[in-house]
Amino acid sequence: MKIAVFASGNGSNFEAIVEAVRDGKVEAEIALLVCDRPEAYVLKRAERLGISSITLQPKAFESKIAYETEVLDHLQAESIELIVLAGCMRIVGATLLKAYPKRIVNIHPSLLPLYPGRQGIEDAFNDGATETGVTVHLVDEGIDTGPVLAQRKVAIHQGDAIELLEGKIHALEHELFPEVIQTYIKKLKS
Ligand code: GRF
């Protein structure tokens, strides 16, 4: 199964997935990193890990359709079968959703449908929630709304610093995301 990972920032989930593939825990090939920010640290990780990457900035295109059509050309040239969003700060539009029905997976740092959007961890923390977590889900046209594939909880104790919570969430993401990708790949193949 050929996978493209879309990421915009740090890329710790990207690296966890690449490592899981190398360890034989995910039966796939990470064929391409698609990035939308030239300064993103994930690009350095890709270089170090020997994964091909492309950086396409949406603002360089006249429309979202034009941008996604260019992305799609790259995906099709690489025969990509599954898209994994790992810290991708962009809403996927109709062009990609149509080309990859039920084949776009996202990870979100909350127990969806709670705390969707860009700041899932901060929003749960500032809300005084006593638990939050991680969700892996299929992507649809909404923001963090597609069918849930898996969720794991993380407790928030009184007096916890947000940094502690962030650390717990990210550690859980790095474990859960490769696991769910592997399970989903098997389902797609069956
Ligand atoms: C993760 O918390 C993920 O859930 C969210 O964006 C963050 C990306 O982190 N969608 P990283 O770039 O993988 O380190």
Side-chain angles (χ1 to χ4, degrees):
M1 174 88 40
K2 289 186 92 179
I3 293 180
V5 177
F6 287 25
S8 307
N10 178 27
S12 67
N13 280 283
F14 165 74
E15 184 153 355
I17 297 163
V18 172
E19 277 172 5
V21 168
R22 294 200 171 161
D23 293 347
K25 292 178 186 161
V26 174
E27 293 161 277
E29 178 194 344
I30 307 304
L32 188 64
L33 168 71
V34 178
C35 186
D36 56 350
R37 290 186 185 160
E39 72 282 9
Y41 184 65
V42 67
L43 290 166
K44 297 217 165 59
R45 294 187 194 256
E47 209 181 323
R48 170 163 52 77
L49 295 163
I51 307 286
S52 310
S53 67
I54 52 164
T55 307
L56 294 169
Q57 288 186 279
K59 65 178 183 199
F61 294 83
E62 62 180 12
S63 66
K64 186 164 182 130
I65 292 177
Y67 167 68
E68 289 202 338
T69 301
E70 174 79 17
V71 172
L72 188 55
D73 284 349
H74 287 274
L75 301 181
Q76 287 173 340
E78 287 287 344
S79 306
I80 297 297
E81 300 165 89
L82 181 69
I83 297 173
V84 168
L85 308 184
C88 171
M89 294 316 229
R90 230 139 263 294
I91 297 163
V92 177
T95 308
L96 289 174
L97 285 169
K98 227 173 154 185
Y100 286 90
K102 295 195 182 139
R103 283 181 178 249
I104 309 179
V105 179
N106 181 43
I107 189 158
H108 183 78
S110 79
L111 296 174
L112 291 173
L114 294 173
Y115 312 115
R118 281 173 173 258
Q119 306 188 43
I121 303 176
E122 289 89 330
D123 290 347
F125 186 84
N126 292 334
D127 200 29
T130 54
E131 67 173 19
T132 184
V134 174
T135 303
V136 180
H137 66 97
L138 294 178
V139 173
D140 64 10
E141 58 290 336
I143 299 176
D144 302 323
T145 50
V148 169
L149 297 177
Q151 282 187 317
R152 293 280 189 287
K153 289 179 182 172
V154 173
I156 309 175
H157 302 290
Q158 222 179 353
D160 280 358
I162 189 160
E163 292 76 15
L164 178 74
L165 178 61
E166 283 167 350
K168 285 184 185 172
I169 297 246
H170 292 314
L172 182 58
E173 287 185 330
H174 301 160
E175 194 180 300
L176 182 66
F177 208 8
E179 260 177 51
V180 179
I181 291 168
Q182 170 63 8
T183 306
Y184 196 59
I185 287 171
K186 278 194 167 166
K187 193 179 165 195
L188 287 175
K189 283 183 179 166
S190 67

